[in-house]
Amino acid sequence: MSKVEEFEELRPLLFSVAYRILGSVGEAEDAVQEAWLRFDASPTRPASTKAYLSATVTRISIDVLRSARVRRERYVGPWFPEPLLDDPYQDPARAAELADSVSMAALLLLERLSPAERAVFVLREVFGFGFDEVASAVDRSEASCRQLLVRARRHMRDGRPRFEAARTEREELAARFFDALREGDVAGLQDLLAADVSMVGDGGGKTPQLARAIMGAQNVARLLAAVFPVMLRIGVTIDPHEVNGQPGAILRDRAGQVLNALALDVLDGRVQAVRMVVNPDKLGHVGPVADAWAVHREVQAARRTAE
């Protein structure tokens, strides 16, 4: 098997590792490309290509994450990961763990870990790498990696919801949610929301976004019912789609350009959180990006006309 064939066979795994460490599609793709360049430039073939490339992409991702964390501290408003519509790495035996680990909720918790803790957790807990492979990837001893994993597990366990509902149940609840959203059905929405539901938007200061998180089923239901039917009237479409392994949707303007990636956290038969990524810098990999300000002005005009 050629170097190219070996690399392409492992590319889905490498991207999935890098994305979970970085929370960015673009940065993960760049890390995978850099790993290829190093592999291609190496004069010798490693004993295990998988171990070599996994370690290489992990080290690259850790370096990128260290600089990214400084930028994220200066980020305007709430920071969310770039939405991932399809995880290229598939492992039926670990499907639930993979979907859970890529959820917005899990990735936000991973942000609280140090880069080394995050890498160790991703490699060991999510992908099942041996401690010898993990130690090589993060350039630490196995004993140190075990300590890092213990700390990472504790942080994740203390704040991490588990999405225990079956996939079909989550999809059915999401379908009812989007039906109620289209109809502006306040009561229907409120019935699907957890009492302490939160709705938060990530615009990065570049698009119209919520000034603060909206809390509580009644408040969230009323706002959703007031805004989304108007958006539909001006040609915005809601395309249900799994986002980061959980129910969600992509909103597009009348020209089909991407306006918003909306993700739902579903737990105990209710929507626990509504997260909206509207920062155009985070949507380019989904498709051509809409002018959110133009859509916002059109929505405001339509609401005034209706009044």
Side-chain angles (χ1 to χ4, degrees):
M1 185 182 292
S2 70
K3 271 191 169 183
V4 172
E5 290 171 331
E6 279 190 290
F7 181 81
E8 289 303 324
E9 187 174 274
L10 290 166
R11 181 189 289 273
L13 170 63
L14 300 178
F15 173 85
S16 295
V17 168
Y19 176 78
R20 285 165 173 81
I21 295 174
L22 292 166
S24 165
V25 172
E27 289 174 346
E29 290 174 341
D30 289 345
V32 171
Q33 181 62 23
E34 177 61 24
W36 158 251
L37 293 175
R38 296 185 189 185
F39 179 52
D40 187 45
S42 175
T44 59
R45 298 288 279 270
S48 169
T49 301
K50 176 183 176 183
Y52 171 85
L53 285 172
S54 299
T56 300
V57 83
T58 296
R59 292 173 191 151
I60 293 168
S61 298
I62 289 174
D63 289 341
V64 173
L65 181 60
R66 288 190 176 117
S67 61
R69 286 167 76 94
V70 175
R71 295 194 305 273
R72 290 171 191 176
E73 288 173 359
R74 300 194 297 264
Y75 195 79
V76 178
W79 179 92
F80 291 157
E82 290 184 6
L84 183 68
L85 303 192
D86 297 292
D87 189 353
Y89 180 71
Q90 303 295 324
D91 181 353
R94 302 182 66 85
E97 292 93 335
L98 289 171
D100 190 15
S101 68
V102 83
S103 70
M104 289 277 183
L107 291 173
L108 288 171
L109 283 174
L110 284 171
E111 282 290 303
R112 303 178 186 178
L113 307 182
S114 71
E117 288 172 340
R118 185 166 181 165
V120 168
F121 183 88
V122 167
L123 291 175
R124 177 63 181 176
E125 196 78 354
V126 179
F127 292 97
F129 279 62
F131 274 109
D132 57 335
E133 298 172 301
V134 175
S136 173
V138 300
D139 198 23
R140 302 282 187 98
S141 69
E142 289 190 32
S144 174
C145 288
R146 290 179 189 276
Q147 292 175 343
L148 289 170
L149 182 61
V150 168
R151 291 202 297 269
R153 280 174 172 166
R154 183 171 61 248
H155 286 303
M156 296 298 287
R157 182 178 61 249
D158 290 346
R160 187 180 189 181
R162 301 292 299 183
F163 303 105
E164 296 172 349
R167 182 173 185 147
T168 53
E169 293 176 8
R170 296 200 309 266
E171 290 174 349
E172 288 171 2
L173 188 146
R176 290 164 57 201
F177 174 87
F178 289 118
D179 285 343
L181 192 64
R182 293 184 183 94
E183 296 168 6
D185 181 357
V186 175
L189 284 167
Q190 191 168 336
D191 186 54
L192 298 171
L193 301 173
D196 59 349
V197 65
S198 64
M199 183 167 68
V200 190
D202 170 359
K206 299 184 177 183
T207 61
Q209 67 184 79
L210 297 172
R212 57 182 175 79
I214 307 301
M215 306 296 296
Q218 187 176 72
N219 293 331
V220 171
R222 285 179 174 174
L223 181 58
L224 289 172
V227 174
F228 275 80
V230 180
M231 295 175 70
L232 296 177
R233 287 201 296 272
I234 67 167
V236 171
T237 58
I238 300 175
D239 177 21
H241 198 293
E242 191 171 272
V243 176
N244 286 76
Q246 302 300 319
I250 303 301
L251 276 66
R252 303 178 189 274
D253 68 5
R254 63 164 60 90
Q257 296 181 314
V258 180
L259 183 66
N260 184 345
L262 186 154
L264 304 176
D265 285 354
V266 177
L267 183 67
D268 297 330
R270 293 287 185 275
V271 175
Q272 305 288 327
V274 181
R275 296 189 176 93
M276 297 176 290
V277 179
V278 292
N279 184 340
D281 295 343
K282 297 184 177 184
L283 297 173
H285 64 283
V286 180
V289 180
D291 183 343
W293 284 107
V295 173
H296 176 71
R297 289 191 293 270
E298 197 170 351
V299 168
Q300 294 301 101
R303 294 183 70 179
R304 287 194 297 271
T305 300
E307 292 171 357

